[in-house]
Amino acid sequence: MDLPKAFTEYMAHLIGEEACRRLEQGLADEPQVSIRLNRRKLAGCGHECPVPQSADVAVPWCRTGYYLKDRPAFTFDPLLHAGAYYVQEAGSMFLEQAFAALSADAGFQEPLMALDLCAAPGGKSTHLRSLLPEGSFLVSNEPMRPRAQVLSENMMKWGDPACMVTNGYPADFSALEHLFDVVVTDVPCSGEGMFRKDEGAIADWSPENVELCWKRQRSIIADIWPALKPGGYLIYSTCTFNALEDEDNVAWIARELGADLIPVPCAEEWGIQGDLTGSNLPVYHFLPGWTRGEGFFLAVLRKHGQCEEAEDGWRACLPRKAAKKGKPDKKDKNKGRNEISASELITLSGWLSGSDWEWLAEDTQISAVPKEWADACRAVKECLTVMHCGVPVAELKGRDWVPRHGLALNRACCRDSFPQVELSYEQAVAYLRKEALVLPADTPKGFVMLTYRNFPLGFAKQIGNRANNLYPDAWRIRSGYVTPCSVLFP
């Protein structure tokens, strides 16, 4: 690997010549592949959390993480599309230990409002959603709209009803003062930790870019800081090695914005390195050559102060009036309706498990969010463009409500409301490619939920002797060939 000379000189000065050579050797090794299981979805589909058949060893700092022996053709595994697991760098799974540390520090017992600020493509968001206490709510944000669309897709596949995907910049959260208990900021960085996986990261690296990055990172944290409650927790992370973007920025946050660093317990045999500057800050580096995976850095900070709680808890922190920044509600009667009749509500309610839902009708689409978070969702919507919220339930086509694809993937879906057809592997891949379907002759007419190994993949509509494939066109597998793949099960 032809690393930039300025980079190796800097790292040699930071960690010493011998350690720098070890890092260079680690970066020259083959990239690692790791996945994290969706424990709740696996249990809901009748599976214990399995050891994947493709697994090599477990990721020691994540109870549902596994290194794989090699990189399979994930595109052709229906269970990836069903949200049974997520392909994620092992180092970033250290979020689990960070969240455990802040939970122990705070003694969290109540549901939390959390934000993942720079969330695409969704690795940390899906992980955080699995770590939050029951009844919590997660807002996952991405400033770049194409990346926000990918994030929305991955969050829908993960299938949790208490989450929201937004498209906005950190400054857009300024009106949401003291709303969040936890904020995760995996800030854009110079990408040194990705040198092994991405040749473009090497080409783009320069001392000038590092300078630009650490300044931008401080701006991002300063913008989001008011939205974090006093006494709340910031998880700061990058995928880079240098102290300017890592230790120096963490020290700046603590000193200038007012925060304490929270230690994260980790075992010595994990190979995680601490402060590279000699300042003994409780920070955590994942360096190729010491840990198995790509480069990663993390620190946990607790904001100074204490949030004043009222009888209505977190609602006391909602803004009284937020500036409108999101897209306005569309009222075009030719496109759809913004009301649901009582009879329609009875039908749609049957598609969800439980009854404690707030219904959101906009244009031709209906969603549902847990009632206890409806006010928070409305407040966020006043400030940001919302890409996805709660459970995508139905879409009006003509005079009929059609189940939305995200409903099938969501754990809140009442599966018994629909006839179900289990697909073979070949049929499942054909469905994901949005090809024509022929279902069993005794399949009832109407909307049918299609499953693979008991995991819902989506809907089809049976009409006579054939079925309309309702898989979203934007999500379909576009490859013209198939490489059989089964990561979890034989």
Side-chain angles (χ1 to χ4, degrees):
M1 180 178 293
D2 189 14
L3 296 171
K5 183 179 179 182
F7 167 75
T8 55
E9 288 177 346
Y10 173 84
M11 292 305 300
H13 176 74
L14 181 65
I15 63 177
E17 295 282 354
E18 183 178 347
C20 184
R21 286 193 292 271
R22 182 173 175 178
L23 175 63
E24 290 183 65
Q25 180 57 54
L27 289 171
D29 292 339
E30 285 296 313
Q32 301 293 303
V33 182
S34 49
I35 65 169
R36 180 175 40 78
L37 305 182
N38 189 341
R39 178 170 47 87
R40 289 172 178 165
K41 181 168 278 193
L42 281 158
C45 294
H47 299 276
E48 295 296 326
C49 230
V51 175
Q53 68 154 354
S54 302
D56 184 6
V57 295
V59 175
W61 46 83
C62 176
R63 57 182 171 161
T64 55
Y66 292 90
Y67 294 101
L68 301 188
K69 297 170 186 175
D70 48 34
R71 187 175 189 87
F74 287 115
T75 299
F76 301 105
D77 187 356
L79 295 188
L80 175 67
H81 299 272
Y85 65 93
Y86 192 95
V87 184
Q88 184 180 4
E89 287 298 329
S92 65
M93 297 182 199
F94 192 63
L95 177 68
E96 185 162 314
Q97 301 300 321
F99 190 81
L102 68 84
S103 296
D105 183 72
F108 285 140
Q109 295 180 347
E110 301 295 325
L112 305 176
M113 185 77 170
L115 168 67
D116 187 358
L117 183 64
C118 311
K124 291 181 187 64
S125 273
T126 54
H127 198 183
L128 182 60
R129 181 56 268 180
S130 297
L131 297 171
L132 288 167
E134 198 66 37
S136 298
F137 196 87
L138 173 64
V139 177
S140 300
N141 179 72
E142 171 54 43
M144 307 306 293
R145 189 170 181 86
R147 287 171 55 82
Q149 291 171 333
V150 174
L151 172 64
S152 183
E153 175 182 341
N154 285 329
M155 293 305 294
M156 276 194 270
K157 287 177 178 177
W158 203 249
D160 195 285
C163 64
M164 185 181 207
V165 175
T166 58
N167 172 217
Y169 290 96
D172 295 336
F173 288 85
S174 59
L176 300 170
E177 187 175 7
H178 299 171
L179 181 60
F180 298 103
D181 300 282
V182 178
V183 175
V184 174
T185 55
D186 188 40
V187 289
C189 68
S190 59
E192 296 163 355
M194 294 292 107
F195 281 175
R196 179 166 58 180
K197 290 188 66 176
D198 183 4
E199 291 183 3
I202 298 176
D204 292 340
W205 188 92
S206 68
E208 293 76 19
N209 191 38
V210 172
E211 183 82 4
L212 177 67
C213 285
W214 74 256
K215 292 178 179 178
R216 179 173 56 190
Q217 290 153 0
R218 292 190 185 187
S219 176
I220 289 170
I221 300 302
D223 281 343
I224 199 60
W225 198 249
L228 180 63
K229 288 182 182 179
Y233 294 84
L234 176 81
I235 299 177
Y236 177 90
S237 65
T238 72
C239 57
T240 199
F241 307 127
N242 69 79
L244 294 169
E245 299 178 70
D246 295 343
E247 283 88 349
D248 291 0
N249 270 355
V250 167
W252 177 85
I253 295 168
R255 180 180 66 252
E256 300 297 329
L257 301 182
D260 297 316
L261 282 137
I262 304 300
V264 179
C266 55
E268 184 177 350
E269 60 267 23
W270 294 352
I272 300 168
Q273 303 300 297
D275 187 341
L276 301 182
T277 68
S279 300
N280 294 321
L281 296 174
V283 298
Y284 306 90
H285 278 280
F286 290 72
L287 305 177
W290 283 265
T291 54
R292 187 174 174 181
E294 308 311 314
F296 184 66
F297 170 85
L298 181 142
V300 180
L301 301 102
R302 180 182 59 228
K303 185 176 181 178
H304 287 167
Q306 188 172 2
C307 190
E308 296 180 3
E309 296 292 343
E311 289 183 2
D312 54 357
W314 61 266
R315 288 181 176 82
C317 297
L318 288 177
R320 295 181 182 276
K321 187 175 182 180
K324 185 73 173 178
K325 287 189 72 70
K327 290 185 177 179
D329 291 343
K330 299 175 185 176
K331 304 291 185 180
D332 188 345
K333 293 182 181 180
N334 294 322
K335 286 189 175 182
R337 297 176 286 165
N338 289 79
E339 297 180 355
I340 317 170
S341 70
S343 60
E344 290 171 329
L345 186 58
I346 291 173
T347 299
L348 299 182
S349 296
W351 292 359
L352 295 180
S353 300
S355 58
D356 207 16
W357 300 99
E358 182 93 358
W359 294 88
L360 307 177
E362 185 173 339
D363 286 343
T364 60
Q365 296 186 340
I366 300 291
S367 299
V369 296
K371 274 188 178 178
E372 63 267 30
W373 295 111
D375 289 342
C377 289
R378 279 188 280 267
V380 173
K381 188 177 179 182
E382 287 293 310
C383 303
L384 296 112
T385 298
V386 175
M387 309 285 290
H388 161 67
C389 186
V391 186
V393 179
E395 182 174 6
L396 186 65
K397 293 189 175 181
R399 298 183 178 180
D400 299 323
W401 289 107
V402 176
R404 294 172 65 185
H405 181 73
L407 174 64
L409 301 175
N410 202 282
R411 293 189 297 108
C413 178
C414 181
R415 294 176 57 167
D416 292 340
S417 298
F418 302 95
Q420 297 176 47
V421 174
E422 175 76 4
L423 302 180
S424 67
Y425 175 82
E426 291 75 16
Q427 290 173 320
V429 172
Y431 173 69
L432 296 170
R433 294 168 75 168
K434 200 160 182 168
E435 295 177 352
L437 296 173
V438 177
L439 302 180
D442 59 351
T443 303
K445 289 185 179 180
F447 299 113
V448 178
M449 178 181 287
L450 304 179
T451 64
Y452 174 71
R453 291 186 178 265
N454 203 37
F455 287 87
L457 291 179
F459 294 106
K461 187 174 183 180
Q462 180 75 346
I463 46 175
N465 59 358
R466 65 181 181 86
N468 285 343
N469 188 329
L470 301 183
Y471 195 73
D473 186 68
W475 293 14
R476 68 183 178 89
I477 297 174
R478 299 180 185 277
S479 174
Y481 66 93
V482 176
T483 301
C485 177
S486 180
V487 173
L488 299 188
F489 306 109

